[in-house]
Amino acid sequence: MLDERGRSFDEIRRQYPDARGDFVSGSSMDRVFRPGSTVVFTSPSAPLTEGEPAAVHIIGEGYTLKRVLRDGDSVILRPDSTDPAWQDDRTLPAASVDYIAPVIHWHSYSW
């Protein structure tokens, strides 16, 4: 099986041996990842392209998937959703986020 970028799981594991995966729940990123999709993300030490989707751990809250932007000492979490409840950015102090790992693979299942 190939991802949306044409890579196989074996290629991804060779390139990113520390990669981790999870399933998507919720609708805050449904333009990119449908609920139930599989996402694979690499380590927080991997370079992050501004505005690309990433797995983010917010201290005291848990994990989320959002597009990530940095602005000085702040982290901006941007949903990418058709859901009216998920249209606004969320700006957090960088110190409240201890994990930002770029999404490197996803597979969205058809509805």
XYZ file of all heavy atoms in Angstrom:
877
model
N 0.845 -1.174 0.000
C 0.000 0.000 0.000
C 0.893 1.241 0.000
O 1.894 1.300 0.695
C -0.886 -0.027 1.246
C -1.770 1.170 1.365
S -2.787 1.227 2.875
C -3.430 -0.422 2.971
N 0.515 2.241 -0.769
C 1.266 3.488 -0.861
C 0.500 4.609 -0.176
O -0.723 4.604 -0.143
C 1.506 3.865 -2.325
C 2.254 2.851 -3.177
C 2.351 3.364 -4.602
C 3.629 2.559 -2.612
N 1.245 5.574 0.358
C 0.581 6.719 0.963
C 0.244 7.744 -0.121
O 0.486 7.515 -1.304
C 1.429 7.312 2.088
C 2.661 8.068 1.612
O 2.938 8.098 0.395
O 3.352 8.622 2.471
N -0.311 8.889 0.304
C -0.720 9.922 -0.635
C 0.463 10.525 -1.385
O 0.296 11.205 -2.384
C -1.501 11.020 0.100
C -2.969 10.666 0.315
C -3.208 9.682 1.462
O -2.239 9.198 2.084
O -4.369 9.370 1.717
N 1.679 10.281 -0.917
C 2.876 10.790 -1.584
C 3.588 9.701 -2.380
O 4.682 9.908 -2.863
C 3.821 11.388 -0.541
C 3.200 12.585 0.156
C 4.090 13.133 1.220
N 3.399 14.202 1.931
C 3.864 14.785 2.999
N 5.021 14.436 3.506
N 3.182 15.732 3.589
N 2.965 8.520 -2.498
C 3.519 7.449 -3.316
C 4.584 6.605 -2.643
O 5.309 5.879 -3.313
N 4.694 6.670 -1.306
C 5.704 5.903 -0.583
C 5.084 4.681 0.071
O 3.953 4.729 0.544
C 6.351 6.760 0.509
C 7.075 7.968 -0.038
C 7.558 8.853 1.071
N 6.409 9.336 1.828
C 6.480 10.181 2.848
N 7.636 10.619 3.252
N 5.398 10.583 3.465
N 5.847 3.599 0.118
C 5.388 2.394 0.813
C 5.755 2.498 2.290
O 6.627 3.279 2.683
C 6.050 1.148 0.216
O 7.418 1.107 0.564
N 5.098 1.668 3.124
C 5.420 1.643 4.550
C 6.886 1.266 4.764
O 7.546 1.798 5.646
C 4.509 0.669 5.300
C 3.107 1.184 5.450
C 2.046 0.542 4.832
C 2.825 2.305 6.212
C 0.753 1.001 4.968
C 1.540 2.781 6.351
C 0.495 2.120 5.729
N 7.413 0.332 3.967
C 8.814 -0.074 4.109
C 9.756 1.102 3.845
O 10.744 1.285 4.560
C 9.152 -1.231 3.165
C 8.518 -2.537 3.607
O 8.158 -2.647 4.801
O 8.376 -3.431 2.759
N 9.460 1.902 2.823
C 10.290 3.075 2.534
C 10.277 4.052 3.710
O 11.318 4.596 4.090
C 9.782 3.811 1.298
C 10.016 3.108 -0.016
C 9.355 3.877 -1.142
O 9.988 4.855 -1.610
O 8.240 3.518 -1.532
N 9.101 4.261 4.270
C 8.965 5.190 5.397
C 9.751 4.684 6.599
O 10.485 5.431 7.241
C 7.480 5.390 5.745
C 6.785 6.131 4.598
C 7.333 6.156 7.056
C 5.298 6.083 4.656
N 9.652 3.397 6.913
C 10.371 2.838 8.071
C 11.887 2.910 7.882
O 12.617 3.134 8.837
C 9.928 1.417 8.345
C 8.495 1.386 8.872
C 8.173 0.174 9.677
N 8.934 -0.001 10.858
C 8.590 0.455 12.067
N 7.517 1.169 12.203
N 9.316 0.178 13.111
N 12.361 2.717 6.661
C 13.803 2.837 6.411
C 14.269 4.284 6.608
O 15.316 4.538 7.186
C 14.155 2.366 5.001
C 14.296 0.864 4.874
C 14.939 0.463 3.558
N 14.191 0.892 2.381
C 13.152 0.242 1.856
N 12.744 -0.894 2.386
N 12.532 0.706 0.791
N 13.497 5.216 6.120
C 13.882 6.619 6.207
C 13.678 7.192 7.606
O 14.438 8.059 8.041
C 13.099 7.441 5.190
C 13.569 8.871 5.096
C 12.861 9.638 3.992
O 12.029 9.101 3.266
N 13.192 10.909 3.859
N 12.666 6.713 8.313
C 12.315 7.245 9.632
C 12.154 6.092 10.628
O 11.033 5.728 10.996
C 11.008 8.033 9.573
C 11.017 9.183 8.608
C 10.485 9.055 7.333
C 11.568 10.400 8.971
C 10.475 10.117 6.444
C 11.569 11.477 8.096
C 11.017 11.325 6.833
O 11.020 12.382 5.961
N 13.247 5.510 11.101
C 13.130 4.356 11.988
C 12.455 4.667 13.327
O 11.950 3.766 13.991
C 14.580 3.901 12.189
C 15.420 5.043 11.786
C 14.636 5.841 10.802
N 12.405 5.942 13.723
C 11.774 6.318 14.990
C 10.308 6.744 14.811
O 9.698 7.277 15.730
C 12.566 7.432 15.664
C 12.674 8.687 14.798
O 12.359 8.615 13.589
O 13.077 9.733 15.325
N 9.744 6.514 13.635
C 8.369 6.935 13.363
C 7.377 6.216 14.259
O 7.570 5.068 14.655
C 8.027 6.684 11.895
N 6.291 6.918 14.580
C 5.201 6.367 15.373
C 3.898 6.642 14.626
O 3.843 7.540 13.792
C 5.156 7.046 16.740
C 6.484 6.961 17.476
C 6.475 7.837 18.669
N 5.952 7.051 19.784
C 5.795 7.510 20.986
N 6.093 8.765 21.256
N 5.331 6.761 21.946
N 2.862 5.913 14.953
C 1.602 6.101 14.257
C 0.413 6.134 15.189
O 0.506 5.752 16.349
N -0.699 6.598 14.654
C -1.945 6.637 15.414
C -3.101 6.782 14.425
O -2.901 7.016 13.235
C -1.939 7.810 16.386
C -2.801 7.559 17.609
O -3.646 6.633 17.582
O -2.641 8.282 18.589
N -4.316 6.667 14.962
C -5.522 6.847 14.169
C -6.107 8.215 14.456
O -6.029 8.719 15.578
C -6.562 5.769 14.490
C -6.129 4.401 14.072
C -5.598 3.514 14.996
C -6.237 3.998 12.755
C -5.188 2.257 14.616
C -5.826 2.743 12.352
C -5.301 1.871 13.291
N -6.701 8.807 13.462
C -7.320 10.121 13.593
C -8.727 9.969 14.154
O -9.502 9.130 13.707
C -7.382 10.828 12.219
C -8.146 12.137 12.311
C -5.989 11.042 11.663
N -9.025 10.814 15.139
C -10.402 10.935 15.616
C -10.745 12.419 15.622
O -9.863 13.263 15.758
C -10.565 10.329 17.013
O -9.804 11.053 17.946
N -11.982 12.741 15.439
C -12.386 14.133 15.423
C -12.327 14.738 14.026
O -11.880 14.119 13.072
N -12.784 15.991 13.945
C -12.943 16.645 12.644
C -12.100 17.902 12.474
O -12.246 18.600 11.470
C -14.413 16.995 12.432
O -14.854 17.902 13.437
N -11.197 18.196 13.384
C -10.459 19.456 13.298
C -9.485 19.522 12.120
O -9.040 20.597 11.741
C -9.702 19.730 14.599
O -8.638 18.821 14.765
N -9.181 18.365 11.511
C -8.283 18.331 10.354
C -8.910 17.541 9.200
O -8.212 16.963 8.379
C -6.941 17.705 10.744
C -6.093 18.559 11.652
S -5.444 20.046 10.856
C -4.244 19.356 9.735
N -10.235 17.552 9.108
C -10.907 16.652 8.155
C -10.696 16.996 6.678
O -10.977 16.183 5.815
C -12.395 16.512 8.475
C -13.215 17.770 8.241
O -12.658 18.816 7.839
O -14.438 17.708 8.488
N -10.173 18.163 6.372
C -9.826 18.452 4.974
C -8.586 17.670 4.546
O -8.353 17.468 3.365
C -9.567 19.938 4.765
C -10.792 20.792 4.851
C -10.394 22.252 4.629
N -11.424 23.127 5.119
C -12.259 23.799 4.337
N -12.175 23.674 3.039
N -13.169 24.581 4.866
N -7.780 17.254 5.526
C -6.541 16.528 5.253
C -6.659 15.071 5.677
O -6.334 14.166 4.912
C -5.344 17.182 5.994
C -4.045 16.456 5.671
C -5.248 18.660 5.674
N -7.104 14.850 6.908
C -7.204 13.501 7.482
C -8.648 13.218 7.884
O -9.187 13.888 8.754
C -6.340 13.377 8.752
C -4.966 13.923 8.632
C -4.551 14.974 9.436
C -4.062 13.387 7.732
C -3.269 15.473 9.352
C -2.776 13.892 7.638
C -2.378 14.933 8.448
N -9.236 12.235 7.272
C -10.591 11.838 7.665
C -10.547 11.072 8.984
O -9.560 10.387 9.260
C -11.199 10.951 6.595
C -11.447 11.669 5.303
C -12.095 10.750 4.301
N -12.347 11.468 3.079
C -12.118 10.983 1.878
N -11.646 9.763 1.727
N -12.380 11.691 0.815
N -11.601 11.170 9.796
C -11.637 10.354 11.007
C -11.437 8.873 10.653
O -11.992 8.386 9.674
C -13.040 10.613 11.562
C -13.384 11.981 11.052
C -12.773 12.030 9.673
N -10.584 8.200 11.415
C -10.261 6.809 11.151
C -9.021 6.619 10.304
O -8.519 5.504 10.170
N -8.499 7.706 9.722
C -7.274 7.612 8.934
C -6.098 7.243 9.818
O -6.094 7.498 11.014
C -6.958 8.961 8.270
O -7.965 9.334 7.375
N -5.091 6.666 9.189
C -3.843 6.373 9.868
C -2.864 7.495 9.575
O -2.723 7.901 8.419
C -3.235 5.054 9.339
O -4.179 4.008 9.518
C -1.953 4.714 10.056
N -2.192 8.013 10.612
C -1.133 8.988 10.419
C 0.145 8.452 11.039
O 0.115 7.747 12.042
C -1.458 10.374 11.009
C -2.593 11.035 10.273
C -1.743 10.296 12.485
N 1.261 8.765 10.420
C 2.573 8.389 10.940
C 3.359 9.685 11.089
O 3.380 10.517 10.188
C 3.305 7.423 9.984
C 4.691 7.086 10.520
C 2.480 6.158 9.772
N 3.968 9.847 12.248
C 4.772 11.039 12.490
C 6.145 10.623 12.983
O 6.331 9.541 13.515
C 4.088 11.994 13.471
C 3.501 11.329 14.673
C 4.229 11.220 15.850
C 2.211 10.814 14.638
C 3.688 10.603 16.962
C 1.663 10.199 15.750
C 2.400 10.097 16.911
N 7.102 11.486 12.763
C 8.472 11.192 13.135
C 8.787 11.843 14.480
O 7.884 12.309 15.177
C 9.444 11.623 12.017
O 10.730 11.129 12.319
C 9.470 13.104 11.817
N 10.041 11.912 14.835
C 10.417 12.432 16.149
C 10.324 13.956 16.191
O 10.395 14.616 15.152
C 11.831 11.996 16.501
O 12.764 12.748 15.756
N 10.201 14.501 17.396
C 10.154 15.962 17.529
C 11.442 16.645 17.073
O 11.450 17.849 16.835
C 9.943 16.185 19.024
C 9.423 14.910 19.539
C 9.962 13.834 18.662
N 12.519 15.902 16.928
C 13.774 16.515 16.484
C 13.823 16.699 14.964
O 14.714 17.364 14.441
C 14.965 15.669 16.935
O 14.912 14.390 16.341
N 12.866 16.138 14.252
C 12.824 16.276 12.787
C 12.427 17.701 12.408
O 11.657 18.346 13.115
C 11.837 15.285 12.191
N 12.937 18.195 11.298
C 12.573 19.553 10.882
C 11.090 19.651 10.531
O 10.518 18.733 9.958
C 13.444 19.806 9.650
C 13.969 18.491 9.225
C 13.877 17.558 10.395
N 10.508 20.767 10.907
C 9.089 21.010 10.646
C 8.967 22.169 9.675
O 9.526 23.240 9.898
C 8.366 21.350 11.950
C 6.898 21.730 11.815
C 6.067 20.508 11.434
C 6.374 22.343 13.096
N 8.238 21.947 8.593
C 7.942 23.013 7.648
C 6.741 23.790 8.180
O 5.714 23.195 8.515
C 7.623 22.425 6.257
O 8.748 21.650 5.829
C 7.330 23.515 5.257
N 6.889 25.097 8.272
C 5.800 25.931 8.787
C 4.500 25.645 8.048
O 4.477 25.589 6.818
C 6.141 27.417 8.625
C 7.227 27.897 9.546
C 6.754 28.061 10.978
O 5.788 28.793 11.220
O 7.375 27.441 11.858
N 3.430 25.454 8.805
C 2.115 25.237 8.237
C 1.791 23.798 7.884
O 0.665 23.494 7.502
N 2.767 22.897 8.017
C 2.513 21.481 7.726
C 1.871 20.803 8.936
O 2.083 21.223 10.074
C 3.826 20.773 7.369
C 4.341 21.133 5.999
C 3.412 20.709 4.884
O 2.956 19.557 4.864
O 3.117 21.559 4.019
N 1.115 19.744 8.713
C 0.505 19.024 9.832
C 1.551 18.369 10.728
O 2.586 17.894 10.257
C -0.342 17.946 9.142
C -0.565 18.442 7.760
C 0.665 19.226 7.417
N 1.242 18.359 12.032
C 2.146 17.749 12.999
C 1.340 17.198 14.166
O 0.229 17.664 14.458
C 3.159 18.770 13.509
N 1.918 16.204 14.830
C 1.391 15.725 16.104
C 1.959 16.644 17.175
O 3.171 16.889 17.208
C 1.814 14.284 16.341
N 1.099 17.166 18.030
C 1.505 18.137 19.042
C 1.028 17.654 20.403
O -0.132 17.261 20.556
C 0.878 19.526 18.736
C 1.262 20.543 19.787
C 1.256 19.997 17.343
N 1.926 17.703 21.392
C 1.526 17.396 22.772
C 1.479 18.698 23.558
O 2.481 19.402 23.691
C 2.490 16.426 23.445
C 2.037 16.082 24.827
N 2.648 16.577 25.948
C 1.001 15.321 25.249
C 2.015 16.120 27.014
N 1.010 15.368 26.614
N 0.288 18.994 24.069
C 0.084 20.177 24.895
C 0.124 19.711 26.341
O -0.668 18.830 26.740
C -1.266 20.850 24.575
C -1.330 21.211 23.091
C -1.476 22.080 25.455
C -2.721 21.575 22.607
N 1.027 20.266 27.120
C 1.199 19.855 28.510
C -0.121 20.030 29.266
O -0.753 21.081 29.199
C 2.326 20.674 29.173
C 3.650 20.406 28.449
C 2.438 20.349 30.664
C 4.775 21.346 28.824
N -0.538 18.974 29.946
C -1.764 19.009 30.731
C -3.036 18.756 29.942
O -4.113 18.675 30.513
N -2.933 18.634 28.622
C -4.122 18.413 27.791
C -4.049 17.130 26.981
O -5.042 16.447 26.831
C -4.338 19.590 26.832
C -4.741 20.859 27.521
C -5.049 21.961 26.528
O -5.508 21.664 25.397
O -4.822 23.127 26.880
N -2.908 16.855 26.382
C -2.783 15.664 25.550
C -2.336 16.009 24.145
O -1.829 17.103 23.879
N -2.549 15.051 23.239
C -2.074 15.170 21.859
C -3.168 15.674 20.928
O -4.352 15.422 21.138
C -1.589 13.811 21.349
C -0.278 13.400 21.955
C -0.238 12.680 23.137
C 0.926 13.748 21.352
C 0.970 12.303 23.713
C 2.132 13.382 21.911
C 2.151 12.663 23.092
O 3.340 12.307 23.654
N -2.732 16.350 19.870
C -3.625 16.817 18.828
C -2.868 16.826 17.501
O -1.638 16.837 17.487
C -4.170 18.234 19.152
O -5.169 18.591 18.200
C -3.076 19.279 19.157
N -3.591 16.805 16.411
C -3.021 16.983 15.073
C -3.502 18.330 14.549
O -4.703 18.580 14.511
C -3.497 15.896 14.114
C -2.952 14.503 14.301
C -3.715 13.520 13.420
C -1.475 14.456 13.970
N -2.577 19.187 14.180
C -2.916 20.492 13.611
C -1.786 20.937 12.689
O -0.674 20.443 12.749
C -3.068 21.558 14.714
C -4.155 21.312 15.725
C -5.531 21.495 15.146
C -6.617 21.328 16.184
N -6.809 19.968 16.666
N -2.066 21.933 11.869
C -1.007 22.625 11.146
C -0.316 23.513 12.180
O -0.986 24.109 13.025
C -1.572 23.458 10.010
C -2.189 22.586 8.917
C -2.565 23.401 7.696
N -3.148 22.565 6.686
C -2.465 21.810 5.829
N -1.138 21.801 5.867
N -3.079 21.076 4.923
N 1.008 23.571 12.130
C 1.757 24.278 13.165
C 2.552 25.425 12.562
O 3.230 25.268 11.542
C 2.710 23.312 13.902
C 3.556 24.057 14.921
C 1.922 22.199 14.590
N 2.447 26.566 13.231
C 3.236 27.745 12.884
C 3.897 28.236 14.164
O 3.364 28.054 15.257
C 2.339 28.845 12.313
C 1.551 28.413 11.085
C 0.132 28.889 11.164
C 2.227 28.928 9.848
N 5.039 28.855 14.015
C 5.730 29.429 15.181
C 5.807 30.934 15.004
O 6.050 31.430 13.908
C 7.112 28.817 15.309
C 7.040 27.353 15.675
C 8.427 26.820 15.988
N 8.344 25.463 16.478
C 8.834 24.404 15.850
N 9.432 24.537 14.690
N 8.725 23.210 16.378
N 5.608 31.639 16.114
C 5.664 33.097 16.105
C 6.348 33.546 17.393
O 5.704 33.661 18.431
C 4.256 33.675 15.998
C 4.249 35.188 15.875
O 5.292 35.771 15.515
O 3.198 35.794 16.154
N 7.656 33.715 17.321
C 8.416 34.092 18.510
C 8.319 33.019 19.580
O 8.663 31.864 19.344
N 7.797 33.396 20.747
C 7.643 32.464 21.862
C 6.270 31.803 21.880
O 5.831 31.308 22.922
C 7.875 33.186 23.197
C 9.331 33.579 23.374
O 10.206 32.931 22.760
O 9.590 34.536 24.127
N 5.594 31.793 20.744
C 4.260 31.199 20.653
C 4.219 30.109 19.590
O 4.980 30.133 18.624
C 3.219 32.267 20.289
O 3.153 33.258 21.275
N 3.306 29.183 19.791
C 3.010 28.144 18.811
C 1.557 28.334 18.399
O 0.672 28.447 19.251
C 3.217 26.732 19.409
C 2.771 25.661 18.444
C 4.669 26.523 19.805
N 1.326 28.391 17.100
C -0.033 28.555 16.582
C -0.484 27.218 16.015
O 0.183 26.637 15.161
C -0.079 29.640 15.491
C 0.410 30.973 16.068
C -1.487 29.757 14.902
C 0.732 32.012 15.018
N -1.607 26.728 16.525
C -2.211 25.482 16.044
C -3.373 25.854 15.144
O -4.315 26.519 15.570
C -2.683 24.636 17.217
C -1.611 24.283 18.250
C -2.214 23.426 19.355
C -0.433 23.593 17.605
N -3.288 25.435 13.897
C -4.286 25.825 12.892
C -5.052 24.596 12.420
O -4.479 23.695 11.798
C -3.594 26.492 11.717
C -4.549 26.890 10.595
C -3.911 27.851 9.652
N -3.719 29.115 10.370
C -2.856 30.063 9.988
N -2.120 29.901 8.916
N -2.744 31.174 10.681
N -6.358 24.535 12.682
C -7.160 23.444 12.140
C -7.305 23.597 10.623
O -7.071 24.671 10.072
C -8.506 23.592 12.848
C -8.553 24.996 13.333
C -7.139 25.480 13.477
N -7.688 22.519 9.974
C -7.936 22.530 8.527
C -9.199 21.705 8.330
O -9.137 20.526 8.010
C -6.740 21.942 7.785
C -6.769 22.252 6.299
O -7.820 22.728 5.812
O -5.763 22.000 5.629
N -10.342 22.344 8.578
C -11.580 21.603 8.745
C -12.760 22.223 8.004
O -12.827 23.430 7.813
C -11.916 21.541 10.242
O -13.110 20.834 10.455
N -13.696 21.359 7.648
C -14.981 21.809 7.114
C -15.972 22.092 8.241
O -17.012 22.692 8.005
C -15.578 20.733 6.186
O -15.779 19.533 6.940
C -14.671 20.469 4.996
N -15.658 21.672 9.450
C -16.530 21.821 10.613
C -16.463 23.262 11.126
O -15.389 23.754 11.461
C -16.068 20.849 11.700
C -16.963 20.823 12.922
O -17.704 21.802 13.159
O -16.906 19.825 13.661
N -17.600 23.961 11.206
C -17.606 25.347 11.688
C -17.013 25.507 13.096
O -16.514 26.570 13.438
C -19.086 25.742 11.684
C -19.739 24.792 10.754
C -18.942 23.523 10.806
N -17.042 24.459 13.892
C -16.489 24.532 15.248
C -14.960 24.569 15.251
O -14.351 24.873 16.272
C -16.980 23.342 16.075
N -14.335 24.263 14.122
C -12.873 24.190 14.029
C -12.337 25.131 12.963
O -11.674 24.722 12.023
C -12.423 22.762 13.727
C -12.619 21.834 14.854
C -13.591 20.874 14.976
C -11.838 21.755 16.045
N -13.452 20.212 16.157
C -12.377 20.736 16.839
C -10.718 22.446 16.506
C -11.852 20.391 18.085
C -10.200 22.110 17.735
C -10.763 21.106 18.509
N -12.592 26.410 13.106
C -12.114 27.386 12.129
C -11.053 28.329 12.697
O -10.317 28.948 11.946
C -13.284 28.208 11.581
C -14.321 27.367 10.859
C -13.732 26.577 9.709
O -13.054 27.126 8.853
N -13.963 25.272 9.689
N -10.970 28.435 14.012
C -10.080 29.414 14.621
C -8.732 28.812 15.011
O -8.654 27.687 15.503
C -10.727 30.015 15.874
C -11.997 30.785 15.548
O -12.066 31.362 14.439
O -12.918 30.801 16.382
N -7.679 29.603 14.801
C -6.355 29.229 15.275
C -6.346 29.269 16.800
O -7.117 30.010 17.423
C -5.299 30.222 14.780
C -5.037 30.124 13.288
O -5.528 29.178 12.646
O -4.329 31.009 12.774
N -5.427 28.503 17.366
C -5.200 28.541 18.807
C -3.725 28.889 19.024
O -2.848 28.190 18.531
C -5.527 27.192 19.433
C -5.350 27.181 20.928
C -5.769 25.860 21.520
N -5.561 25.871 22.953
C -5.536 24.789 23.706
N -5.731 23.597 23.156
N -5.321 24.873 24.994
N -3.463 29.960 19.746
C -2.098 30.381 20.027
C -1.755 30.037 21.466
O -2.499 30.374 22.387
C -1.937 31.898 19.782
O -2.309 32.176 18.427
C -0.520 32.345 20.029
N -0.631 29.332 21.618
C -0.183 28.894 22.934
C 1.239 29.373 23.184
O 2.036 29.495 22.244
C -0.170 27.356 22.996
C -1.484 26.636 22.783
C -1.239 25.157 22.572
C -2.388 26.860 23.980
N 1.590 29.595 24.454
C 3.003 29.845 24.749
C 3.810 28.602 24.378
O 3.375 27.473 24.631
C 3.025 30.077 26.266
C 1.610 30.237 26.685
C 0.747 29.614 25.635
N 4.964 28.789 23.762
C 5.793 27.651 23.350
C 6.103 26.733 24.524
O 6.211 25.516 24.357
C 7.070 28.139 22.694
N 6.207 27.272 25.727
C 6.527 26.467 26.909
C 5.411 25.491 27.275
O 5.648 24.535 28.024
C 6.825 27.378 28.098
N 4.208 25.681 26.738
C 3.101 24.773 27.053
C 3.034 23.584 26.097
O 2.183 22.713 26.235
C 1.769 25.518 27.050
O 1.442 25.950 25.744
N 3.943 23.560 25.124
C 3.994 22.480 24.140
C 5.347 21.792 24.270
O 6.381 22.441 24.152
C 3.812 23.045 22.710
C 4.010 21.969 21.671
C 2.448 23.693 22.565
N 5.336 20.485 24.530
C 6.623 19.800 24.697
C 6.922 18.777 23.603
O 7.922 18.070 23.677
C 6.735 19.152 26.076
C 5.760 18.018 26.299
O 4.874 17.788 25.457
O 5.888 17.346 27.343
N 6.069 18.722 22.581
C 6.267 17.722 21.531
C 5.601 18.219 20.264
O 4.392 18.462 20.238
C 5.623 16.415 21.985
C 5.858 15.209 21.113
C 6.859 14.300 21.416
C 5.052 14.957 20.006
C 7.054 13.162 20.644
C 5.243 13.825 19.225
C 6.245 12.941 19.548
O 6.450 11.818 18.788
N 6.380 18.422 19.209
C 5.846 18.749 17.885
C 6.576 17.844 16.907
O 7.784 17.958 16.728
C 6.071 20.229 17.508
C 5.375 21.156 18.501
C 5.584 20.482 16.082
C 5.652 22.635 18.267
N 5.853 16.918 16.305
C 6.462 15.948 15.390
C 5.749 15.993 14.040
O 4.540 15.789 13.965
C 6.385 14.546 15.984
N 6.485 16.256 12.979
C 5.865 16.344 11.652
C 5.186 15.041 11.231
O 5.713 13.955 11.461
C 7.045 16.634 10.723
C 8.139 17.133 11.599
C 7.933 16.500 12.929
N 4.015 15.178 10.627
C 3.332 14.032 10.020
C 4.060 13.724 8.714
O 4.255 14.605 7.880
C 1.843 14.326 9.769
C 1.200 13.211 8.964
C 1.116 14.526 11.091
N 4.484 12.478 8.555
C 5.257 12.097 7.367
C 4.499 11.152 6.452
O 4.948 10.846 5.352
C 6.603 11.471 7.766
C 6.400 10.283 8.685
C 7.512 12.533 8.369
C 7.650 9.466 8.941
N 3.356 10.664 6.900
C 2.585 9.707 6.107
C 1.158 9.697 6.622
O 0.915 9.876 7.806
C 3.202 8.302 6.274
C 2.306 7.198 5.831
N 2.234 6.787 4.528
C 1.420 6.426 6.519
C 1.351 5.793 4.440
N 0.853 5.565 5.621
N 0.235 9.486 5.712
C -1.133 9.251 6.128
C -1.827 8.424 5.083
O -1.440 8.378 3.920
C -1.901 10.560 6.391
C -2.083 11.423 5.197
C -3.132 11.439 4.337
C -1.187 12.447 4.743
N -2.948 12.397 3.370
C -1.765 13.034 3.601
C 0.047 12.916 5.189
C -1.150 14.057 2.899
C 0.652 13.944 4.484
C 0.058 14.502 3.362
N -2.835 7.739 5.537
C -3.685 6.985 4.634
C -5.117 7.236 5.058
O -5.521 6.889 6.156
C -3.383 5.482 4.702
C -4.227 4.706 3.743
N -3.952 4.666 2.394
C -5.362 4.009 3.927
C -4.884 3.934 1.779
N -5.746 3.537 2.689
N -5.857 7.901 4.187
C -7.261 8.208 4.456
C -8.132 7.179 3.770
O -7.991 6.944 2.572
C -7.608 9.595 3.927
O -6.882 10.574 4.613
N -8.989 6.589 4.542
C -9.900 5.593 4.010
C -11.122 6.279 3.405
O -11.557 7.319 3.864
C -10.336 4.629 5.115
C -9.147 3.894 5.670
C -8.494 4.337 6.803
C -8.649 2.777 5.018
C -7.384 3.678 7.295
C -7.531 2.101 5.487
C -6.911 2.565 6.636
O -5.803 1.911 7.093
N -11.643 5.691 2.353
C -12.841 6.244 1.709
C -14.049 6.052 2.601
O -14.156 5.081 3.317
C -13.087 5.533 0.376
O -12.011 5.763 -0.490
N -14.968 6.999 2.502
C -16.210 6.901 3.260
C -17.230 6.152 2.460
O -17.356 6.159 1.332
C -16.742 8.277 3.609
C -15.960 8.952 4.664
C -15.153 8.356 5.584
C -15.857 10.341 4.914
N -14.589 9.304 6.393
C -15.001 10.512 5.998
C -16.416 11.439 4.317
C -14.698 11.769 6.511
C -16.112 12.678 4.826
C -15.258 12.828 5.914
